[in-house]
Amino acid sequence: MPDRNNINRDPNFGKKYFWTFVLVGLIILIGRAKLGGGNTNSSNTIPSATSSPSSPSSSTSKYRNGTFTGTSADAYYGSLQIRVSVANGKISKVDILDYPHDNHTSQNINTQALPLLQKEVLQTQSNVVDAVSGASFTSQAFNQSLQSALSQAA
Amino acid sequence: MFQTSFVTMSMDCNVIIADEKNAATIKKIIDEIKIFLRDVESELSPFLPQSEISKINSGQIKIADASARAQHILNLCDETKKLSGGYFDIKKNNKMRNIDPCGLVKGWVISQSAMILKRRGFNNFLVEISGDMQTSGRPKNKKFWAIGIRDPFEKNRIIKILNLSDQGIATSGTAEKGCHIYNPVDNKTENDLISLTAVSPSVFDADRFATAAFAMGRRGLNFLENKKGLEGYAIFKNQTAAFTSGFKKFETQKCIV
C-alpha cells in the first residue's frame, strides 16, 4: 500500500514504469506456468505433483474449478449478482455483475452544470472519535448471492 | 455519557446520550427505540417473509392494501427517485416484484429514533446504525461530536474527522460489497467512486441522497453540490478525494469548547 502521507510522490511513476511492470508481470506468470500452475511458491523449482501447496494461507481444495454465477439478489441501488471464479480449488476472483440503470430518467442529472470541485489526497487521522461513518461491511445482498455461487462450486 | 450498542435489522446500532438523565429514564428511552426498530424491521424488511414489503413482492397484497407505514416509505422512495433523476431506484428492472427500500429506510429509522429522543426531552445524543448517524447537540466537554470517515481501503483507519452538531451523516460505497480477501470488479457501470459521504441536517436526506449520488459515480458529488443543505465527500478508487464547497466547515469548526 503506498504511503499516502508522502507528499513527494512522483505522480508520473505509474506512467514511467508501466512497461516495466507489464514485463515483470509477464515473467512471473510465465514462471508460474512453467512450474505447473498449482504451486503458489515461485521460488520452488520442483514441480509439485502432489497437493499441499507451500503458502500458509491456502487451504485444501474446497471448490471445483470454473466460473459460477450466483442468483441475483436485491440491493437498494439495483440488483446484485456475484460471479465467482475458482482456479486450483481456490477462489481466484469475485466479480460483481450490476444491472444497468434506466438512463432515460437521468437526463436532467447529466445535463446539470458541473462546478469545479476541490480535490485532495487521503490522509490518515487519529482514531479518537465518537463514531465512524463508513459503508458497512455486511451487505446481505452480497452475501446472499455469494453463498449461492459458492454452493454451486462446492 | 451513556453509551449502548445492540444489533437491529442485522446491523450494529450505537446510541450515545450526553444528557444528564437518571438510569431509569435512559433505560426507558432505549427500550422504546429498540421496540420501534423491531417493529420497523418486521414491517419493512424484504428479508422477512411476513413483512409488508415481502407480501407486496410475492403478490400477496397490493401496495394500496399495505400498512400505512409501508406505503409512506414507498412514497418516500418514489419522491427520492424523482429528486435524483432516477438514480435512487428500489425496483429491479422496473418490476414491482423485487422492491427493496433499504437504501432509504436506514436513514429514516435513525431520523425517527432521533425524533423519539427529542420528544422525550433528550437534546444531546448520537444515534448510529451501521455507519450512518444523526447527531444532536453536543457530547460532554466538547462543542461538537467528532465523527470519523472510514478509510475505504483500510477499514481500521480513518481519513477524515468532522465536527458535527445537529447534522446527519451517511456513507455509501463499494467497500460494503466486498470482503477484504476479494477484489470485486464493477464491470457494468462506469464508476470510479469507492465511497461517498453525505452530510445534511437530517440523516434521512444524507442517507437517501448518498445512495442516489453514489449510483451516479463522479457526478454524484455535483448532484450534492447543487442540492441545498447537502455537503459531500467522495473518495475515488485512485485514493484521491473531492468535496463540495461547503464541506470544509465541518473540519474547521473548533471541537473543543
Side-chain angles (χ1 to χ4, degrees):
Chain A
M1 185 72 73
D3 174 10
R4 321 195 174 87
N5 291 321
N6 179 5
I7 57 170
N8 293 318
R9 266 185 309 172
D10 176 2
N12 292 317
F13 184 78
K15 278 185 216 165
K16 276 189 207 166
Y17 295 103
F18 175 71
W19 289 108
T20 309
F21 291 141
V22 170
L23 201 57
V24 169
L26 279 172
I27 291 169
I28 291 172
L29 279 171
I30 292 166
R32 282 203 183 149
K34 282 196 171 164
L35 288 170
N39 195 328
T40 54
N41 183 347
S42 57
S43 66
N44 182 349
T45 54
I46 302 167
S48 176
T50 56
S51 57
S52 66
S54 45
S55 166
S57 61
S58 57
S59 51
T60 51
S61 294
K62 205 176 149 187
Y63 302 112
R64 296 183 288 124
N65 291 342
T67 306
F68 308 95
T69 303
T71 52
S72 175
D74 292 296
Y76 50 75
Y77 47 81
S79 299
L80 196 61
Q81 194 170 27
I82 303 295
R83 183 176 66 202
V84 169
S85 303
V86 180
N88 305 309
K90 288 179 292 213
I91 297 167
S92 60
K93 199 157 162 268
V94 173
D95 290 312
I96 296 175
L97 311 177
D98 273 336
Y99 286 83
H101 289 283
D102 172 13
N103 283 317
H104 297 306
T105 51
S106 62
Q107 285 287 312
N108 58 330
I109 298 297
N110 290 328
T111 56
Q112 263 179 3
L114 300 180
L116 260 180
L117 298 172
Q118 283 182 274
K119 289 194 176 173
E120 65 183 22
V121 292
L122 299 184
Q123 290 196 327
T124 306
Q125 306 282 343
S126 151
N127 267 14
V128 181
V129 290
D130 294 307
V132 180
S133 182
S136 74
F137 281 81
T138 52
S139 166
Q140 284 190 292
F142 179 87
N143 285 329
Q144 253 178 271
S145 193
L146 177 65
Q147 287 312 313
S148 164
L150 291 178
S151 66
Q152 295 167 53
Chain B
M1 292 201 296
F2 170 85
Q3 176 161 8
T4 182
S5 301
F6 50 90
V7 176
T8 187
M9 301 187 286
S10 319
M11 292 181 286
D12 293 318
C13 183
N14 197 21
V15 180
I16 308 176
I17 295 174
D19 292 299
E20 294 285 339
K21 305 271 185 187
N22 66 47
T25 309
I26 290 183
K27 180 177 188 309
K28 199 166 159 202
I29 192 71
I30 297 295
D31 286 344
E32 192 176 341
I33 290 171
K34 282 183 178 175
I35 290 169
F36 167 69
L37 294 172
R38 195 193 58 205
D39 286 348
V40 169
E41 182 177 18
S42 54
E43 209 171 331
L44 300 178
S45 171
F47 303 110
L48 294 177
Q50 286 309 305
S51 75
E52 298 293 292
I53 298 295
S54 294
K55 285 182 188 170
I56 292 168
N57 282 337
S58 66
Q60 230 178 304
I61 58 172
K62 294 197 173 73
I63 293 179
D65 299 324
S67 71
R69 184 182 275 159
Q71 291 192 44
H72 178 56
I73 289 293
L74 293 176
N75 286 335
L76 291 174
C77 290
D78 263 340
E79 176 199 83
T80 310
K81 182 176 176 180
K82 291 192 183 92
L83 291 170
S84 67
Y87 275 92
F88 180 93
D89 195 346
I90 62 173
K91 294 181 230 160
K92 166 191 164 180
N93 295 336
N94 253 342
K95 293 201 180 79
M96 275 312 291
R97 289 304 174 95
N98 289 294
I99 56 175
D100 181 352
C102 291
L104 176 147
V105 172
K106 190 158 73 155
W108 183 80
V109 298
I110 298 169
S111 185
Q112 292 294 307
S113 301
M115 284 187 220
I116 292 173
L117 279 154
K118 290 218 123 143
R119 272 207 298 272
R120 300 277 178 248
F122 292 81
N123 293 306
N124 302 284
F125 56 82
L126 183 153
V127 180
E128 180 212 338
I129 298 183
S130 220
D132 296 348
M133 67 197 81
Q134 181 71 47
T135 64
S136 178
R138 58 209 279 183
K140 203 164 173 191
N141 299 327
K142 285 192 299 178
K143 220 165 134 190
F144 299 97
W145 295 92
I147 309 298
I149 295 180
R150 191 191 307 281
D151 183 342
F153 302 98
E154 197 106 7
K155 68 180 161 109
N156 294 319
R157 289 226 281 245
I158 285 167
I159 45 81
K160 185 66 67 181
I161 297 181
L162 303 180
N163 298 325
L164 303 180
S165 173
D166 302 325
Q167 297 283 341
I169 180 170
T171 300
S172 276
T174 58
E176 70 193 307
K177 293 182 186 177
C179 302
H180 64 281
I181 56 171
Y182 303 135
N183 291 304
V185 171
D186 191 23
N187 67 354
K188 285 268 173 143
T189 41
E190 189 62 40
N191 196 339
D192 54 351
L193 285 187
I194 187 166
S195 172
L196 180 64
T197 299
V199 181
S200 174
S202 166
V203 67
F204 169 65
D205 285 336
D207 187 22
R208 60 180 177 152
F209 292 128
T211 305
F214 187 85
M216 297 174 197
R218 199 167 267 271
R219 283 171 182 273
L221 199 63
N222 299 104
F223 169 71
L224 295 178
E225 172 76 9
N226 288 327
K227 259 195 130 23
K228 196 169 180 208
L230 272 141
E231 302 296 340
Y233 188 78
I235 302 175
F236 303 103
K237 288 175 181 168
N238 66 3
Q239 299 189 29
T240 61
F243 44 95
T244 53
S245 54
F247 184 79
K248 280 288 171 179
K249 68 174 177 281
F250 298 122
E251 285 188 87
T252 56
Q253 50 196 17
K254 289 287 173 247
C255 197
I256 310 297
V257 177

